[in-house]
Structures are given as C-alpha cells and as structure tokens.
Amino acid sequence: MKLSVIYHSVSGNTARMAQVIAEGMKSVPGIEARAFSIDAVDADFAGESRCIVVGCPTYVADTSAGLHLWMEKEMGRLGLPGKLGGAFATAQYIHGGGELVIQAILNHMLTMGMLTYSGGGSRGKPVIHLGPVAIAGAGDTEALMAFDDLFRLYGQRMAEKAAELFD
Ligand SMILES: Cc1cc2nc3c(=O)[nH]c(=O)nc-3n(C[C@H](O)[C@H](O)[C@H](O)COP(=O)(O)O)c2cc1C
C-alpha cells in the first residue's frame, strides 16, 4: 500500500521531518511511503496513496502562504475523498502556533472528504493529540533530532491505521 507525506519547507526543517515520518511508515510491513515537496509531488503515487500526511512550517501562527495556496489549488487533484489524512508542523517556539497549523490542514482535509486521524490518546504514550510539532529555528538539525522518535512513531501509527482500514 502506498502512503505519501507532502510538505512545504523553505529552510529544510519540515522536509527533514517529512522524511522521518515516511521512515516510520515504512517500518510497517507492506507499506511503501514517499515524501514530496509541494513543488514536486508525484501525482500518480500520491493519487494511489491511501493515506496522505501534510506538513508545514508555522508562519505567523498560521500555515505558510505556499502551503495554503497548494491546498487550495493542487491538493484536490489527488483523489482525496475517503483517503486517510494527517498533519504535522514545525515551529520555532513551543507556543508559536504549530497546532493552529495542524488544525488548518485537518480542516482542509475534512472539507475535502478525507478521514482524519492522529491516534490521539488511543495509542498510549507518547500521546499525539492533533499531530506532531517539531520545535526548531531554521536549519537547527540538532534541535530537530530531539523529535525524531516522536515523528517516526507518528508515521508508524498512521501506517498501521491505513493498513487496518484498507488492507
Ligand atoms: C516568515 C516566518 C514566520 C514565522 N513565524 C513563526 C511563528 O509564528 N511561530 C513560530 O513558532 N515560528 C515561526 N517561524 C519559524 C518557522 O516556523 C520554523 O523555523 C520552521 O521550522 C521552518 O520550517 P522550514 O525549515 O521547513 O522552512 C517563522 C519563520 C518565518 C520564516
């Protein structure tokens, strides 16, 4: 089963965490996962994906304009109704608005007929409520690494749910 992670990233943080989520997805047997920048989405692969996770940096406590525009103009071409959807964010500050970014993406997915999921408290600790947020300034790989296990686990949980729903 194919799964896609699609992201907007300017200084590399969100791109890096998208790859970590894809790694977690691939740890589940039978899952083929790829991560794409919004500028280079493989529309065939994403269209065939049963689950799409979207990620974005936090800009002024909101999605970046680039991601917002992509969701409005391009995302709807990926055959979204009935797919499993999830969202993640990166931000520089713990109260900088990362969860608002996730909520905006999930709202968009719901509006497009996707089935949104995060695992929430149902998968035990660490609890991931709306989706994971990694906190780091631009290009601060050391800070991002502290979130790798959480993001890998999130990818694994999304893939396990996709397998349960669609296999
Ligand atoms: C224009 C701009 C606005 C930003 N606004 C916020 C913000 O409101 N809250 C926050 O926590 N971080 C903010 N940041 C920091 C980025 O969200 C953060 O460093 C992110 O990980 C960068 O992602 P990227 O490397 O994938 O581009 C802002 C960065 C930029 C460039």
Side-chain angles (χ1 to χ4, degrees):
M1 184 188 305
K2 295 183 172 78
L3 274 64
S4 292
V5 184
I6 302 178
Y7 61 86
H8 181 223
S9 185
V10 173
S11 49
N13 292 359
T14 317
R16 184 183 181 283
M17 300 320 288
Q19 295 294 347
V20 176
I21 290 172
E23 264 174 42
M25 288 172 163
K26 285 188 277 194
S27 71
V28 176
I31 297 294
E32 192 187 343
R34 291 174 63 191
F36 305 106
S37 161
I38 53 170
D39 303 323
V41 177
D42 179 333
D44 290 336
F45 189 95
E48 289 165 17
S49 293
R50 306 308 294 263
C51 168
I52 296 184
V53 168
V54 172
C56 186
T58 305
Y59 278 9
V60 201
D62 205 340
T63 56
S64 63
L67 194 276
H68 195 86
L69 204 63
W70 177 80
M71 289 197 298
E72 273 185 19
K73 289 191 180 277
E74 308 291 339
M75 191 177 169
R77 297 182 186 162
L78 302 178
L80 301 177
K83 286 190 200 304
L84 187 65
F88 71 100
T90 65
Q92 186 162 4
Y93 304 107
I94 197 161
H95 300 298
E99 288 189 327
L100 297 174
V101 170
I102 291 174
Q103 186 68 69
I105 296 168
L106 295 178
N107 285 347
H108 206 95
M109 290 177 160
L110 281 168
T111 305
M112 303 299 276
M114 296 180 76
L115 316 172
T116 60
Y117 181 72
S118 67
S122 72
R123 302 299 308 269
K125 292 188 178 173
V127 171
I128 300 171
H129 286 107
L130 301 180
V133 182
I135 307 295
D140 186 348
T141 306
E142 205 179 322
L144 286 176
M145 282 169 66
F147 296 89
D148 282 1
D149 287 350
L150 181 72
F151 275 60
R152 213 172 280 117
L153 185 65
Y154 171 75
Q156 183 190 323
R157 289 175 177 177
M158 292 301 292
E160 285 170 351
K161 180 54 75 177
E164 182 191 321
L165 290 173
F166 303 119
D167 252 352

